[in-house]
Amino acid sequence: MAKLSGKAVNRSLESLLDMDKSAAAGKNPSMPPVPSRKTIPGHGLEFSNLSYSVMKKQKKDGVWIKKEAYLLNDISGQAIRGEIMAIMGPSGAGKSTFLDALAGRIAQGSFEGSVRIDGKPVTASYMKMISSYVMQDDQLFPMLTVYETFMFAAEVRLPPSISKEEKKKRVNELLDQLGLESAAHTYIGDEGRRGVSGGERRRVSIGIDIIHKPSLLFLDEPTSGLDSTSAYSVVEKVKEIARGGSMVLMTIHQPSYRIQLLLDRIIVLARGRLIYLGIPVSLPAHLSGFGRPVPDGENSLEYLLDVIKEYDESTVGLDPLVSYQRDGVKPDQAARTPAPKTPKTPRTPYIKTPGSRHAISLHSHAFSIGNATPRSESVQFDYRDDDDEDEEDFDYSLERKAAHRPQTPMSMHSSAYNPRLASHFYKDFSVWVYRGVTRTPRRAPSWTPARTPGRTPAKTPSSGARSYASGQYSMPQQTFSHHKTPVPVVFSPSIDPYAPSYEEFDIEEVLDEPEHGPKFANPWLREVLVLSQRTLLNVVRTPELFLSREIVLTVMAIILSSLFRDLSRYDFKTVNRLLNFYIFAVSLVFFSSNDAVPSFIQERFIFIRETSHNAYRASSYVISSLIVYLPFFAIQGLTFAVITRFWLHLRSSLLNFWMILFASLITTNAYVMLVSALVPSYITGYAVVIATTALFFLTCGFFLKGSKIPAAWRWLHYISAIKYPFEALLVNEFNDKQICLSGNASDLSPGPLGELKRSKLHLGNPDLRNCTMIGDDVISSMGIQIENLWYDILILLAWGVLYRFFFYLVLRFYSKNERK
């Protein structure tokens, strides 16, 4: 249990004495007035009553239970064009969650509230069109230069109506604006290749997302991992971007004093609750009004974080800080000097006694607003030891405990005090997300209620699972009728300065894609061309992507040829060796494509970042990658086919042999890409690809004929991607079906042929009666039913197309830059 130091206690006592002196002296002309925190309705980005909760599992008394944990709780405010709004707070305060909520990156969960731009509610798709999101990690192609990275971003972000020269001009202007002229022709680099510095890399990440001059720019920890000079340079460039007319919101952790001077507005969060919203220079006055003036020589923001920690570890919790920010409610004498929590005593499991729970009632004159008369109601906090024990499992989240909430007329008749979970209204996700506070279609509102003066929606959870207030800081008594009346979905007049009243959101104009123009800047063919150029440049500058596979196939072709030697003889031993060679050749082609797993998983994060705000279509990416890879697949297949065909003196057609290998490479690459898009890491990807390829290998018809596989597993024989190229190679090799093969029957056993079955051609031709086995007998004995080479190639390519289509679906609907 954290304890307050003596210095902290003395500081609190000194603050109280200063406040008492100020109250006795009346108004102090030297004390700067607290600036007004009123918003300007209809301007900039407005967010009202944002709340977000998730269901978390927790082990309590040996039993796993689910509880609703609040990550954001009733946050309102406004971001103005031309300004930087910084989101700050201690670790786990909900900074990134809040930024994701504004950017539309929360896919599910109990998300409530409204987001508006210039007074109009917006949809998630519209938010993607007008905004950009710079993630904390720099996801860039390492073998592109800074200039090339910006040019490719300009090609996909800017419409074709802008000429090539104008795009180059904008790129040069951006290089100058971000201070990257000296590094324009330097590779980005990565861990294994030297490139630009960390600060320059961060500025490149910002530059590719502002090339199209978005109205909104979200940045998640843009200064993370940078030294003080580089961090200041990054924020300074972001400040210039904001001055250009954009709204900039960014999370930042412990900014230096110089960086604080660049910020226009700050939001301070703690456990998902709003502690302060305003300009940085007004923070000392805000703390003084709260009763905790900033000591001389101390940074006001750092001091606020100390105050947050002090209250968070006390019996009072964060309620006084939240109430003062929201309603201007000043704490009383007891709340100004929060007492630390008493250490928890061990509790016997599964035993609950009346003494295990106790309620502490703070009998005092309640918090006063401004110079209003103190109220007589007392504020009661119910402290529970059981809840304290839950806190460790929920980090900095807030949880709603409906079971312990007292039943009131409001709680019985208003859904505000009995909110639905995500599973109840997730089916209406497309309707309610980013449409403001609107009613669910054709029924009364059930997840975002109208605000009552002086109250927050539902019960405001206190910090962690520590306590909750039975009354919201002595709210005025109200009488509620028990009959149902139509409740319009509006923001009622509130003393919350960040809750503007908008009536009947559902009849307002909603900003959506058609009103802003096309969803994507370029047509589909233009995107395919640009992405193909970039992919080709990456492949050329990263030769190990395909050169390694080319070397492997070349070396293995030489080794196989030297091992199997001459396969041109017409005897039973040669037949067995041919079958062994062909099955190993096909398996080698499939296993050699596993190197695409780590390369695509690394590229997948770049794809997610670029497509999260409609840089290009997922279909364009899928087709462009296929177009670029096709020539390399053709070269690899031709190399293997030429070496083995002439070294082993195979009777098969070289063109057909190459076509089969070419189709196999296309299909296996599509399958590996699909698996890579589904798995979270390359280790899992390797495991899945190797396991499924081995399964395909087992059921392809070489080890187990289709008729010998159990009926329950026979479907594996037909979906095996190795079955079709293997059969095609045999049909291609024994195209002369009447060729007579001689030898001893013992040479065929053991071997893949198993029991020799004479074909209809052999039985029906009297000239072949003296021949023990012909070429058509090999095909018949292997269980090949359709003796058509192109039939197998077309089925193989069809599987490749199907894998590519599934790959597209995964990229389109699964790989999103959203919280799951």
Side-chain angles (χ1 to χ4, degrees), residues 643-754:
I643 294 176
T644 56
R645 166 66 176 77
F646 292 103
W647 194 319
L648 296 175
H649 306 287
L650 300 175
R651 291 185 295 271
S652 60
S653 168
L654 177 61
L655 177 62
N656 293 340
F657 190 14
W658 169 71
M659 283 296 300
I660 295 170
L661 295 180
F662 183 36
S664 300
L665 287 168
I666 294 175
T667 301
T668 185
N669 179 263
Y671 176 72
V672 172
M673 298 281 275
L674 172 61
V675 174
S676 302
L678 289 171
V679 298
S681 64
Y682 72 91
I683 298 177
T684 308
Y686 272 133
V688 173
V689 170
I690 292 174
T692 53
T693 304
L695 192 61
F696 291 162
F697 184 47
L698 178 64
T699 59
C700 69
F702 180 81
F703 297 100
L704 294 173
K705 307 296 187 297
S707 59
K708 302 296 183 181
I709 300 176
W713 295 101
R714 196 163 297 166
W715 56 273
L716 286 172
H717 176 66
Y718 296 99
I719 70 169
S720 172
I722 298 181
K723 159 185 164 64
Y724 301 101
F726 177 60
E727 292 183 354
L729 288 173
L730 294 184
V731 172
N732 185 44
E733 179 65 27
F734 296 100
N735 55 354
D736 186 0
K737 299 180 181 181
Q738 298 185 9
I739 184 174
C740 185
L741 303 172
S742 60
N744 297 323
S746 59
D747 294 336
L748 298 177
S749 182
L753 281 179

Side-chain angles (χ1 to χ4, degrees), residues 254-445:
Q254 291 184 340
S256 64
Y257 179 73
R258 291 195 305 165
I259 292 179
Q260 293 180 36
L261 296 178
L262 297 175
L263 306 178
D264 298 297
R265 295 194 181 197
I266 60 174
I267 289 182
V268 181
L269 303 178
R271 292 187 180 264
R273 309 178 72 182
L274 182 61
I275 303 299
Y276 176 75
L277 191 155
I279 57 178
V281 296
S282 298
L283 184 56
H286 176 84
L287 289 170
S288 297
F290 179 73
R292 300 295 297 270
V294 181
D296 294 338
E298 189 163 347
N299 186 284
S300 58
L301 182 59
E302 294 179 358
Y303 179 70
L304 174 60
L305 297 180
D306 292 340
V307 172
I308 290 174
K309 181 179 180 181
E310 181 181 347
Y311 274 85
D312 188 39
E313 297 176 351
S314 69
T315 56
V316 179
L318 298 174
D319 292 329
L321 291 167
V322 175
S323 180
Y324 179 68
Q325 162 62 30
R326 183 183 64 242
D327 304 324
V329 178
K330 296 182 179 180
D332 60 3
Q333 190 76 8
R336 294 179 190 173
T337 55
K341 293 186 297 185
T342 56
K344 297 185 293 237
T345 57
R347 184 171 56 87
T348 304
Y350 305 102
I351 297 180
K352 295 184 179 181
T353 62
S356 64
R357 298 178 180 272
H358 56 277
I360 299 177
S361 178
L362 302 179
H363 296 282
S364 63
H365 290 291
F367 310 106
S368 59
I369 303 177
N371 297 324
T373 305
R375 304 168 188 246
S376 60
E377 295 90 341
S378 63
V379 181
Q380 296 182 356
F381 298 90
D382 188 8
Y383 301 97
R384 289 178 168 82
D385 293 341
D386 293 346
D387 296 342
D388 289 340
E389 295 175 4
D390 299 344
E391 180 185 1
E392 302 300 329
D393 295 330
F394 284 91
D395 292 333
Y396 283 84
S397 61
L398 302 167
E399 59 178 311
R400 176 185 298 167
K401 299 184 180 296
H404 303 298
R405 185 167 53 247
Q407 294 295 324
T408 63
M410 175 63 78
S411 65
M412 290 185 290
H413 293 278
S414 173
S415 62
Y417 287 80
N418 189 20
R420 298 195 303 163
L421 300 181
S423 59
H424 296 156
F425 62 83
Y426 183 70
K427 56 188 177 182
D428 294 329
F429 177 82
S430 60
V431 177
W432 62 264
V433 70
Y434 273 107
R435 291 199 58 180
V437 185
T438 59
R439 62 169 58 90
T440 305
R442 299 184 182 275
R443 60 178 179 267

Side-chain angles (χ1 to χ4, degrees), residues 408-673:
T408 63
M410 175 63 78
S411 65
M412 290 185 290
H413 293 278
S414 173
S415 62
Y417 287 80
N418 189 20
R420 298 195 303 163
L421 300 181
S423 59
H424 296 156
F425 62 83
Y426 183 70
K427 56 188 177 182
D428 294 329
F429 177 82
S430 60
V431 177
W432 62 264
V433 70
Y434 273 107
R435 291 199 58 180
V437 185
T438 59
R439 62 169 58 90
T440 305
R442 299 184 182 275
R443 60 178 179 267
S446 57
W447 60 274
T448 306
R451 288 181 56 108
T452 306
R455 291 185 182 267
T456 57
K459 177 183 73 63
T460 303
S462 58
S463 302
R466 181 176 296 106
S467 63
Y468 68 88
S470 59
Q472 185 64 31
Y473 293 102
S474 304
M475 294 303 166
Q477 299 294 329
Q478 300 184 18
T479 303
F480 303 96
S481 60
H482 294 271
H483 64 278
K484 294 183 179 180
T485 58
V487 182
V489 185
V490 298
F491 284 110
S492 302
S494 171
I495 56 179
D496 185 355
Y498 299 108
S501 297
Y502 295 102
E503 298 182 356
E504 295 295 340
F505 283 4
D506 55 341
I507 63 174
E508 288 186 315
E509 178 186 5
V510 179
L511 298 179
D512 206 346
E513 299 172 10
E515 302 177 7
H516 193 264
K519 185 176 180 179
F520 299 96
N522 291 275
W524 184 80
L525 288 177
R526 174 68 180 173
E527 292 177 354
V528 172
L529 177 61
V530 173
L531 293 178
S532 299
Q533 292 175 349
R534 186 178 69 176
T535 304
L536 180 61
L537 189 60
N538 273 305
V539 171
V540 172
R541 292 183 179 174
T542 315
E544 59 268 22
L545 291 177
F546 286 96
L547 186 60
S548 59
R549 192 184 307 176
E550 176 70 18
I551 294 175
V552 167
L553 291 176
T554 302
V555 172
M556 290 304 299
I558 296 174
I559 294 176
L560 287 176
S561 299
S562 62
L563 287 174
F564 287 95
R565 299 181 184 177
D566 186 12
L567 295 178
S568 62
R569 299 175 184 176
Y570 299 101
D571 52 34
F572 291 174
K573 288 184 178 180
T574 303
V575 171
N576 262 342
R577 295 169 62 207
L578 271 172
L579 295 176
N580 293 328
F581 165 74
Y582 279 132
I583 190 61
F584 190 85
V586 175
S587 301
L588 176 64
V589 169
F590 272 75
F591 280 106
S592 67
S593 299
N594 291 356
D595 58 354
V597 174
S599 61
F600 172 73
I601 288 180
Q602 181 182 6
E603 189 173 330
R604 180 178 62 184
F605 296 105
I606 301 177
F607 168 83
I608 293 175
R609 175 183 58 77
E610 292 179 334
T611 58
S612 62
H613 289 269
N614 301 335
Y616 50 81
R617 300 167 180 85
S619 59
S620 305
Y621 175 83
V622 173
I623 298 300
S624 64
S625 62
L626 176 61
I627 292 175
V628 173
Y629 295 160
L630 284 179
F632 294 95
F633 295 154
I635 294 173
Q636 293 164 3
L638 184 61
T639 302
F640 187 88
V642 169
I643 294 176
T644 56
R645 166 66 176 77
F646 292 103
W647 194 319
L648 296 175
H649 306 287
L650 300 175
R651 291 185 295 271
S652 60
S653 168
L654 177 61
L655 177 62
N656 293 340
F657 190 14
W658 169 71
M659 283 296 300
I660 295 170
L661 295 180
F662 183 36
S664 300
L665 287 168
I666 294 175
T667 301
T668 185
N669 179 263
Y671 176 72
V672 172
M673 298 281 275

Side-chain angles (χ1 to χ4, degrees), residues 687-817:
V688 173
V689 170
I690 292 174
T692 53
T693 304
L695 192 61
F696 291 162
F697 184 47
L698 178 64
T699 59
C700 69
F702 180 81
F703 297 100
L704 294 173
K705 307 296 187 297
S707 59
K708 302 296 183 181
I709 300 176
W713 295 101
R714 196 163 297 166
W715 56 273
L716 286 172
H717 176 66
Y718 296 99
I719 70 169
S720 172
I722 298 181
K723 159 185 164 64
Y724 301 101
F726 177 60
E727 292 183 354
L729 288 173
L730 294 184
V731 172
N732 185 44
E733 179 65 27
F734 296 100
N735 55 354
D736 186 0
K737 299 180 181 181
Q738 298 185 9
I739 184 174
C740 185
L741 303 172
S742 60
N744 297 323
S746 59
D747 294 336
L748 298 177
S749 182
L753 281 179
E755 181 183 358
L756 180 62
K757 294 182 180 179
R758 292 194 174 187
S759 63
K760 295 180 179 179
L761 177 63
H762 192 179
L763 296 175
N765 192 340
D767 297 333
L768 300 175
R769 290 178 181 177
N770 297 327
C771 186
T772 307
M773 184 173 63
I774 63 174
D776 198 39
D777 293 340
V778 176
I779 297 175
S780 177
S781 300
M782 293 302 297
I784 301 175
Q785 299 175 355
I786 302 178
E787 302 173 9
N788 190 323
L789 173 70
W790 294 104
Y791 172 82
D792 289 316
I793 294 178
L794 289 177
I795 292 180
L796 184 61
L797 290 176
W799 276 112
V801 172
L802 186 62
Y803 291 147
R804 284 278 171 181
F805 178 69
F806 287 154
F807 176 54
Y808 161 75
L809 292 180
V810 172
L811 294 182
R812 176 67 177 82
F813 300 104
Y814 178 73
S815 298
K816 292 186 177 181
N817 198 4

Side-chain angles (χ1 to χ4, degrees), residues 86-96 136 219-226 231 235 250-257 259-260 263 267 269 301-302 305 396:
I87 305 168
M88 306 180 187
S91 299
K95 302 184 293 295
S96 296
Q136 185 172 349
L219 302 101
D220 188 15
E221 297 282 357
T223 61
S224 177
L226 303 180
V235 178
M250 67 178 185
T251 59
I252 190 169
H253 189 66
Q254 291 184 340
S256 64
Y257 179 73
I259 292 179
Q260 293 180 36
L263 306 178
I267 289 182
L269 303 178
L301 182 59
E302 294 179 358
L305 297 180
Y396 283 84

Side-chain angles (χ1 to χ4, degrees), residues 46 125 135 165 174 205 236 287 293 357 481 504 717 739:
E46 300 171 86
S125 56
M135 295 186 291
E165 295 301 323
L174 189 60
S205 298
E236 188 178 33
L287 289 170
R357 298 178 180 272
S481 60
E504 295 295 340
H717 176 66
I739 184 174

